[in-house]
Amino acid sequence: MVLMGIPGNVFPTVVNFWDWLGPDKLVHLFLFSLLSFLFLWGYREKLLTSKESYKRKMFFLSLLLSLLYGALTEFLQCYLFINRYGSFFDFIADAIGCILGLFVFVIYLKKKNKKKQD
């Protein structure tokens, strides 16, 4: 939340369409992929031994909480933080990051299950 509240005048401004793909979006992608991954990391041992229905619930909960946090940060940037502006493109980068974090965790979980079976 601290990184999301830093005044906007220290970041580059978006001038044209292609600028929205800049380093700022990569930061959003990284932070939110890490967030969704870490939501699941705390439950990794339980997820290794649980049923598929529990796994689906945890993945959904992780995705939902991560997306809500991304929406909250954009809302706060728009209405509370000084010199910050909420952006739909930032939220899209947040959402893609959340999904990416889930995929990385699924890969981790599959490798861990495979090792366990061997």
Side-chain angles (χ1 to χ4, degrees):
M1 188 58 78
V2 171
L3 289 174
M4 301 298 175
I6 294 174
N9 56 1
V10 298
F11 297 109
T13 58
V14 175
V15 178
N16 65 42
F17 174 77
W18 294 108
D19 283 346
W20 78 269
L21 293 171
D24 172 51
K25 300 307 176 272
L26 293 176
V27 170
H28 280 267
L29 220 95
F30 173 75
L31 289 176
F32 281 87
S33 62
L34 185 62
L35 177 67
S36 66
F37 181 87
L38 290 176
F39 270 136
L40 293 168
W41 183 257
Y43 295 96
R44 66 189 177 280
E45 294 302 321
K46 180 139 174 87
L47 288 168
L48 284 169
T49 59
S50 62
K51 296 179 181 178
E52 287 300 315
S53 62
Y54 179 79
K55 289 178 186 177
R56 280 195 299 271
K57 287 178 188 175
M58 289 307 297
F59 289 143
F60 177 75
L61 183 61
S62 172
L63 182 62
L64 179 66
L65 290 174
S66 299
L67 288 174
L68 287 173
Y69 189 73
L72 175 66
T73 60
E74 293 308 315
F75 178 80
L76 291 175
Q77 285 177 0
C78 189
Y79 295 108
L80 183 66
F81 297 142
I82 298 169
N83 291 330
R84 290 305 304 247
Y85 306 97
S87 167
F88 178 72
F89 291 122
D90 285 352
F91 178 71
I92 295 299
D94 297 346
I96 293 170
C98 293
I99 294 167
L100 180 64
L102 292 178
F103 279 126
V104 170
F105 190 83
V106 166
I107 292 168
Y108 162 79
L109 207 59
K110 285 183 180 182
K111 285 185 177 188
K112 204 68 162 155
N113 275 334
K114 187 175 181 184
K115 269 187 181 179
K116 197 175 182 180
Q117 291 173 354
D118 290 341

